[in-house]
Coordinates of all heavy atoms in Angstrom, one line a residue:
Chain A
R308 N 102.5 138.5 39.9 CA 102.7 138.3 41.3 C 103.9 137.3 41.5 O 103.8 136.2 41.0 CB 101.5 137.7 42.0 CG 101.7 137.7 43.6 CD 100.6 137.0 44.2 NE 100.5 137.2 45.7 CZ 100.2 136.3 46.6 NH1 99.9 135.1 46.2 NH2 100.1 136.6 47.8
C311 N 108.3 133.9 46.6 CA 109.6 133.5 47.1 C 109.4 132.5 48.3 O 108.8 132.9 49.3 CB 110.5 134.7 47.5 SG 112.0 134.3 48.3
A312 N 109.9 131.3 48.1 CA 109.7 130.3 49.2 C 111.1 130.1 49.9 O 112.1 129.9 49.2 CB 109.3 129.0 48.6
A313 N 111.1 130.2 51.2 CA 112.3 129.9 52.0 C 112.4 128.5 52.3 O 111.4 127.8 52.7 CB 112.2 130.8 53.3
S314 N 113.6 127.9 52.2 CA 113.8 126.5 52.4 C 114.8 126.3 53.6 O 115.9 126.9 53.5 CB 114.3 125.9 51.2 OG 114.6 124.5 51.4
F316 N 115.0 127.3 56.6 CA 115.2 128.3 57.6 C 113.8 129.0 57.8 O 112.9 128.9 57.0 CB 116.3 129.3 57.3 CG 115.9 130.3 56.2 CD1 115.4 131.6 56.5 CD2 116.2 130.0 54.9 CE1 115.1 132.5 55.5 CE2 115.9 130.9 53.9 CZ 115.3 132.2 54.2
T317 N 113.7 129.6 59.0 CA 112.4 130.3 59.3 C 112.4 131.7 58.9 O 113.1 132.6 59.4 CB 112.2 130.2 60.8 OG1 112.2 128.8 61.2 CG2 110.8 130.8 61.2
L318 N 111.5 132.0 57.9 CA 111.4 133.3 57.3 C 111.1 134.4 58.3 O 111.6 135.5 58.2 CB 110.4 133.3 56.2 CG 110.4 134.5 55.2 CD1 111.5 134.2 54.1 CD2 109.0 134.7 54.5
S319 N 110.3 134.1 59.3 CA 109.8 135.1 60.2 C 110.9 135.8 61.1 O 110.7 136.8 61.7 CB 108.8 134.5 61.2 OG 109.4 133.4 62.0
R361 N 104.2 139.3 53.0 CA 104.8 138.0 53.4 C 103.8 137.2 54.2 O 102.8 137.8 54.8 CB 106.0 138.3 54.3 CG 105.8 139.0 55.6 CD 107.1 139.5 56.2 NE 108.0 138.4 56.6 CZ 109.3 138.5 56.9 NH1 109.8 139.7 56.8 NH2 110.0 137.5 57.2
D362 N 103.9 135.9 54.2 CA 103.1 135.0 55.0 C 104.1 134.1 55.7 O 104.6 133.1 55.2 CB 102.2 134.2 54.0 CG 101.2 133.3 54.8 OD1 101.5 133.0 56.0 OD2 100.2 133.0 54.3
N363 N 104.3 134.5 57.0 CA 105.3 133.8 57.7 C 104.9 132.3 58.0 O 105.7 131.4 58.1 CB 105.6 134.5 59.0 CG 106.4 135.8 58.8 OD1 107.1 135.9 57.8 ND2 106.3 136.7 59.8
A364 N 103.6 132.1 58.1 CA 103.1 130.7 58.3 C 103.4 129.8 57.1 O 103.6 128.6 57.3 CB 101.6 130.8 58.6
K365 N 103.5 130.4 55.9 CA 103.8 129.7 54.7 C 105.3 129.8 54.3 O 105.7 129.3 53.3 CB 102.9 130.1 53.6 CG 101.5 129.8 53.7 CD 100.6 130.2 52.5 CE 99.2 129.9 52.7 NZ 98.3 130.2 51.5
N366 N 106.0 130.6 55.2 CA 107.5 130.8 54.9 C 107.7 131.4 53.6 O 108.6 131.0 52.8 CB 108.2 129.4 55.1 CG 109.4 129.5 56.0 OD1 109.5 130.3 56.9 ND2 110.4 128.7 55.7
S367 N 106.9 132.3 53.2 CA 106.9 132.9 51.8 C 106.8 134.4 51.8 O 106.2 135.0 52.7 CB 105.7 132.3 51.0 OG 105.9 130.9 50.8
L368 N 107.4 135.0 50.7 CA 107.5 136.4 50.5 C 106.8 136.6 49.1 O 106.9 135.7 48.2 CB 108.9 136.9 50.4 CG 109.2 138.3 50.1 CD1 108.7 139.3 51.2 CD2 110.6 138.5 49.7
Y369 N 106.2 137.8 48.9 CA 105.5 138.0 47.7 C 105.8 139.4 47.2 O 106.2 140.3 47.9 CB 104.0 137.9 47.8 CG 103.6 136.6 48.4 CD1 103.3 136.4 49.8 CD2 103.5 135.4 47.6 CE1 102.9 135.2 50.3 CE2 103.2 134.2 48.2 CZ 102.9 134.1 49.5 OH 102.5 132.9 50.1

Side-chain angles (χ1 to χ4, degrees):
Chain A
R308 188 190 194 216
C311 171
S314 178
F316 72 93
T317 303
L318 197 80
S319 63
R361 64 193 296 164
D362 186 336
N363 289 337
K365 295 183 177 180
N366 231 28
S367 293
L368 175 74
Y369 307 100

